[in-house]
Amino acid sequence: MASSRPSSPEAPPQDLWSSILDSVSSSRSIPSKQVIVLGEPSSGKSTLVSALLNKPPPEEIKEDQRTDFALGYDWADVRDDAEEDTLARLAIYTVPSSAPAYTSLLPYFVPPRTALQHTLVVVVLDWTRPWSFIQELETWLQWVENWVKGDGSRELDIAKEENRERLQAHWQYYAEPSSEPLPATSTVSSTLLPLGPGTLTHNSAGVPIVVVCTKADLIDEGNDIIGSGPSGMGGMVKGKGSEWEERTDSIMQVLRTICLKYGAGMFYTTPQPTTLQILRQYALHTLFMPPAPSAAASAPGEVAAPPRNPFPFLHKPNALDRDRIVIPAGWDSWGKIAVLRDGFDAKLWGEAWENDLENTEDDGSDTRAQRLYATLVPDLSRKPPPLPPLNNPTPEQVFLAKNYDENAKKPDRDPRGAFRNPNETASAGIVGPMGSSSFNLPNVERALTEMESVAGAAGVNPLSVSATRDTPRALSGRGGTRPPNAGLSIPTGGASLALGRSAAPSPAPMSATTPNSADDQSQHQALKAFFDNLINKRSTRVDDRAAAKSPDAENGVDEGS
C-alpha cells in the first residue's frame, strides 16, 4: 500500500514571482533593432533619421549654427498600423563624419559580435556633391569591412556566416511584389539559381546595406553652364538634349554596379514624405529579414520557402524616375544595369573598383574607379584659395653683417663727422689723430671763447686768467672765509680786470672754418697748457692740505690766535 501512494509534489521555487515575471517578459519581449547612418556633414542625415523614427523633420538650421555630436543617438518604438502594439524598438546611431576620431567610437556602442544580426547600415550620399560619390563609397564600405572583423572570436565568425547565408537567401528568394496572393504552401517546387556575375562578391559578413542619395530633387536644378546649379549638374537641363540624361544615368549605373557587389539596395530621396516613407518601409523590411531556410526540412526536389517577414515591402522597383529611384536588394543585375543606357561596361567598372580597393600605387597602367569617375563627373567643388608664399625672414646675423659691410664703405660713418668742418683736413692732434674741428665741441668752444675774450681785453694770457681765478677760491676754502669781492682782479700793467661776461664786449668767437695751420697749432698749444695748469694746480692743492694738517701749522695757528 505504501508503494502505491503517489510521490509528494516538488517543492515550489523560493522566488516564485520572479520566475513568473521572467517567463512573461521573455514571451512578450520586444525585439530591438538598430541602424547605423554614415555620411559626411550636411548630407541630409538628420532628415533621414527623423523619417526612419517616424518623427517630425528637424527645423532648418544655418550651416554656421549647426552642431554635430561625436556620435548621435536616437530611438523610437515601431508600432502596428492601429498604433496599439509595439512590434520593435528601433535605435539609430549617426556618425557625423568619416574622420577616424568619429568612426573609432562606434564599435564601443555597437559591437559586431552581438549587434551584427540586428543592424542595418545606411550610407548617405549628397546629390549636391556628385563628384564625391565614389570616394565616399570607398571610405564607408571599407569601414564596414573593418567593423565586422571585431575581436575575431568564434561567436563572431558564426554570426557572420549565418548573416551571409541569410542575405544570400534573400537575394535568391527575391520576387517582385504583385497584387496576386502569396501561395499558402511552405515549399516552392523550383531550383534556386546561383547569384549572377558581380553579385555579392564582397560583404563577407552579410551586413544589410542601403545606399541613399539625398536631395535628388536638385538634379534638375541649373542654368546654362555645367556646375552652376546647387547640385553641380546644372547646365544640361531638361530640353537641352540628351547629354544631361546620359550623365545622370551613367552615375546611376556606376552606383548600382557597386551596390550589386555588396548586395546593397539603392534609393533616391527628396524632402517629399513619400520617398522617405518608402525608405522607412524598406529599412524595417531589411531589419526583420528572416533567416535562411534549412535544406534538411524540405523534401527531395523541393526548396523550402523562407519564413514570412513581419514587415513586407510591397513597393515595386523604379529605375526610371531620377528623383524616386528604388532598387531593392535582390532585384538588380548586370543585365538590368546595361539596359538603362547603352555603352556601359559593368565588368570594367567592377575591375576598376577592385583596383581601388587594393591600395596599390596608381602608375596609370591599370584602370581605377576614381579616375574613370573623374572623367565622367569633374570636381566642381569650390577649392580654398591658395595660401600666400611663406615669408622667410633674413637671419639676424646675415642682416647685420650685410649692413655692417655697407656702412663700412661709407665715408661718413664716423659719428664725429657731424662736428667736423668739411673744409678742414685731419691732422695729428695731441690726444690722437683727430681733426682740429673735433675741439670745437659746444662746451670747449664756449670756454675758449670766454677766455680769449677776457685775455684780448686785458692783454693777458687766458691760461693765467684761469689760474688766477682759482687762487682766491682755494685760499677761501682753506681759510674758511670768502673774500668780499666775488670778482677777480688781475694786475697786468696797472690794469684791473673783473671777470664777468659784461666786463668787456665779447669779440666774435674763434672761427674754425678758416683752414689756417698756424691757428690750429696755437689752439693745440693753448689746450695743452690749459690741461698742464690744471694738473699743477691740483698737485699744489694737495701740498697745501698736507701742510695745513702738520703740527707746525697747528702751532702757528695757536700762536697767532
Side-chain angles (χ1 to χ4, degrees), residues 124 145 273 301 409 417 489 498 504:
V124 182
E145 294 285 357
K409 299 176 182 179
S489 299

Side-chain angles (χ1 to χ4, degrees), residues 44 127 145 149 154 164 174 183 217 263 274 307 325 369 374 377 389 411 428 455 477 513:
W127 256 111
E145 294 285 357
K149 294 179 181 179
R154 177 60 180 169
R164 171 79 179 191
Y174 177 82
D217 55 322
T274 305
I325 297 297
V377 184
T513 60

Side-chain angles (χ1 to χ4, degrees), residues 35 183 336 474 529:
V35 179
K336 294 178 181 178

Side-chain angles (χ1 to χ4, degrees), residues 72-126:
Y73 175 79
D74 202 354
W75 66 277
D77 290 334
V78 180
R79 301 182 179 274
D80 57 0
D81 296 338
E83 295 291 336
E84 295 180 353
D85 296 334
T86 301
L87 303 180
R89 178 160 294 170
L90 184 61
I92 297 182
Y93 296 89
T94 306
V95 180
S97 172
S98 59
Y102 300 105
T103 56
S104 60
L105 298 175
L106 199 55
Y108 296 98
F109 297 91
V110 190
R113 183 172 61 179
T114 58
L116 187 59
Q117 297 179 346
H118 310 284
T119 303
L120 169 68
V121 176
V122 177
V123 179
V124 182
L125 303 179
D126 188 357

Side-chain angles (χ1 to χ4, degrees), residues 539-559:
S539 60
T540 303
R541 289 181 180 178
V542 173
D543 295 340
D544 293 342
R545 291 178 182 175
K549 292 182 180 181
S550 62
D552 298 337
E554 293 179 357
N555 296 332
V557 172
D558 294 337
E559 292 175 358

Side-chain angles (χ1 to χ4, degrees), residues 239-279:
K240 295 285 186 175
S242 60
E243 186 178 358
W244 176 83
E245 295 181 358
E246 291 178 0
R247 192 180 293 262
T248 55
D249 289 345
S250 298
I251 295 175
M252 186 192 307
Q253 288 175 313
V254 173
L255 297 180
R256 288 171 59 182
T257 302
I258 298 174
C259 291
L260 192 64
K261 299 176 74 65
Y262 290 83
M266 190 181 73
F267 286 74
Y268 282 15
T269 62
T270 64
Q272 297 297 327
T274 305
T275 58
L276 298 175
Q277 286 300 321
I278 294 174
L279 176 63

